[in-house]
Amino acid sequence: MRQGDSIPNDPALVRRVRAGSLGLATAAAVALASAAALSQSPPIAPADKRPGSAFISQELKAQQDDEGINPGMLWVAEGEKLWTSPAGAANKSCASCHGEAETSMKGVATRYPQVDQGTGRLLNLELRINHCRTARQ
């Protein structure tokens, strides 16, 4: 199968897949063939790579750059307030354990999702924060 080829519209094949008669080996072979076809597409030249912000209007860029009118900054302010506000039975804030967020949390988002060693569950950053607040505050 090459990139751009469509998946065959075979009703008998659809019935067999739904019934589970193709088996795991066949499904794995199809997945590998699809991945191989996609991996053969030419790489994007470095000069052609652009961030998502390259596709937004100048007005929206200006709004994002101005902290006074960027609506996302309201959530940053709320997060800063929550970071230092004591909560829970232990009456502790996040800063009580982690100190200044600017230094202690730098790069944290790049390490998630991550498997929690205690529970074996996969946690994204939001779940990790909620777990920490529930267990330690």
Side-chain angles (χ1 to χ4, degrees):
M1 179 177 272
R2 294 183 314 248
Q3 185 175 1
D5 287 352
S6 62
I7 297 173
N9 187 6
D10 180 357
L13 177 63
V14 172
R15 281 193 299 278
R16 286 195 313 259
V17 169
R18 286 186 181 151
S21 64
L22 281 182
L24 186 57
T26 305
V30 170
L32 285 173
S34 298
L38 290 175
S39 69
Q40 294 174 4
S41 60
I44 298 172
D48 293 335
K49 291 182 181 181
R50 293 177 284 179
S53 61
F55 301 98
I56 62 175
S57 68
Q58 291 299 320
E59 294 82 15
L60 188 53
K61 283 182 187 179
Q63 181 183 13
Q64 288 181 343
D65 292 340
D66 184 347
E67 291 185 11
I69 61 171
N70 183 344
M73 296 310 292
L74 296 171
W75 294 108
V76 171
E78 181 68 16
E80 288 173 343
K81 188 172 91 177
L82 286 172
W83 184 263
T84 58
S85 299
N91 200 34
K92 294 170 100 178
S93 68
C94 297
S96 300
C97 297
H98 300 285
E100 291 296 319
E102 291 83 8
T103 53
S104 67
M105 295 292 119
K106 188 172 185 165
V108 167
T110 63
R111 297 193 300 262
Y112 285 88
Q114 185 180 80
V115 175
D116 179 57
Q117 297 301 321
T119 64
R121 291 179 41 213
L122 184 64
L123 301 178
N124 61 15
L125 185 54
E126 179 183 5
L127 291 172
R128 172 60 71 198
I129 292 168
N130 289 341
H131 174 72
C132 188
R133 288 179 60 103
T134 303
R136 294 180 176 86
Q137 285 187 326

